[in-house]
Amino acid sequence: MLDTPAQVIGCHPIFGPMADPTGQNVVLCPARPGGWLPWFRAFFERHGMQVAEMTPAEHDQAMAFIQGLTHFINITFAKTLSSTDANLEHLLQVCSPVYRIFFAMLCRILSGDEKLYGQIQMSNPANVPIAAAFLENGKSLLELVREGNLDAFYREFQAVADYLGTYKDVARDESNYLVERIREFPPQRSR
């Protein structure tokens, strides 16, 4: 688009189709906005959406975590269930509400269009180094578990907990809300 004389504002609504987008996030990437940026921002805000403004590179880096890594983790988890022939029925019988939420998010992604999720994985070059870092961190943590090194595990756990800071409290409150809501649904079984 930048090869044309057009004014350019990249726009990424970070949500799927829904009747009411109030409270949803939208990313604007003003590459050559001319005078349109205030109008676009006001349009989305008027409809109750939260607008974030960033460069295309910042957007792609953020999406490598928000979409790329999140989808990668969920698909890898499901592949691990499948490749180890885990008994899904038994697992679902012993899920607490927290893990029912995890399975619900996993299945939400895997109920989607494989072409969309494949394109999300393949089209953002920032995904590869983030997924590689995830796998390296997983190997490092696995080594601590193999060694039975509880002290090192505790230090790693505390370091990442400290990194999350006060957001942990907000997220715990949000997840407590989700736990209470999912308890309203009877547990489902597989197949």
Side-chain angles (χ1 to χ4, degrees), residues 15-64:
F15 56 93
M18 59 180 54
D20 181 6
T22 301
Q24 299 303 310
N25 295 324
V26 175
V27 177
L28 296 179
C29 298
R32 192 170 49 228
W36 288 102
L37 186 60
W39 184 90
F40 269 106
R41 176 179 277 284
F43 172 82
F44 291 114
E45 289 173 345
R46 190 169 52 252
H47 287 87
M49 291 174 251
Q50 306 298 313
V51 177
E53 198 176 307
M54 55 187 68
T55 68
E58 291 169 332
H59 165 272
D60 290 353
Q61 185 67 25
M63 291 306 108

Side-chain angles (χ1 to χ4, degrees), residues 1 6 19 21 30 40 59 63 65 71 80 93 101-102 104 119-120 123 134 148 152 157 164 168 176 179 188-189:
M1 290 186 289
F40 269 106
H59 165 272
M63 291 306 108
F65 289 100
H71 300 165
T80 304
Q93 288 175 358
I101 292 168
F102 180 83
Q119 288 296 319
I120 288 171
S123 65
F134 170 77
F157 185 95
L164 294 172
K168 288 191 314 283
N176 286 341
V179 165
Q188 300 296 311
R189 302 296 174 229

Side-chain angles (χ1 to χ4, degrees), residues 2-186:
L2 292 174
D3 290 340
T4 73
Q7 296 171 340
V8 178
I9 300 172
C11 178
H12 185 183
I14 314 292
F15 56 93
M18 59 180 54
D20 181 6
T22 301
Q24 299 303 310
N25 295 324
V26 175
V27 177
L28 296 179
C29 298
R32 192 170 49 228
W36 288 102
L37 186 60
W39 184 90
F40 269 106
R41 176 179 277 284
F43 172 82
F44 291 114
E45 289 173 345
R46 190 169 52 252
H47 287 87
M49 291 174 251
Q50 306 298 313
V51 177
E53 198 176 307
M54 55 187 68
T55 68
E58 291 169 332
H59 165 272
D60 290 353
Q61 185 67 25
M63 291 306 108
F65 289 100
I66 301 303
Q67 292 179 318
L69 184 57
T70 302
H71 300 165
F72 185 85
I73 289 167
N74 280 277
I75 295 165
T76 303
F77 183 88
K79 185 171 173 65
T80 304
L81 290 171
S82 173
S83 71
T84 60
D85 201 25
N87 185 324
L88 187 57
E89 183 70 27
H90 286 170
L91 294 176
L92 294 173
Q93 288 175 358
V94 296
C95 277
S96 71
V98 169
Y99 301 104
R100 284 179 58 203
I101 292 168
F102 180 83
F103 271 94
M105 293 300 109
L106 167 81
C107 291
R108 182 180 182 89
I109 289 168
L110 288 164
S111 296
D113 180 2
E114 71 276 4
K115 291 178 180 66
L116 171 66
Y117 287 96
Q119 288 296 319
I120 288 171
Q121 287 298 308
M122 307 301 165
S123 65
N124 184 353
N127 285 343
V128 172
I130 298 304
F134 170 77
L135 293 174
E136 285 302 313
N137 285 312
K139 287 178 188 175
S140 174
L141 191 58
L142 177 60
E143 197 54 38
L144 296 181
V145 173
R146 270 195 186 121
E147 295 169 356
N149 191 339
L150 274 173
D151 289 335
F153 182 91
Y154 296 155
R155 284 191 301 276
E156 288 292 324
F157 185 95
Q158 193 57 57
V160 294
D162 290 346
Y163 167 79
L164 294 172
T166 58
Y167 177 68
K168 288 191 314 283
D169 301 326
V170 172
R172 187 179 49 244
D173 290 345
E174 289 176 344
S175 66
N176 286 341
Y177 175 83
L178 292 174
V179 165
E180 289 306 314
R181 295 299 70 76
I182 202 160
R183 289 179 59 207
E184 296 170 5
F185 292 93

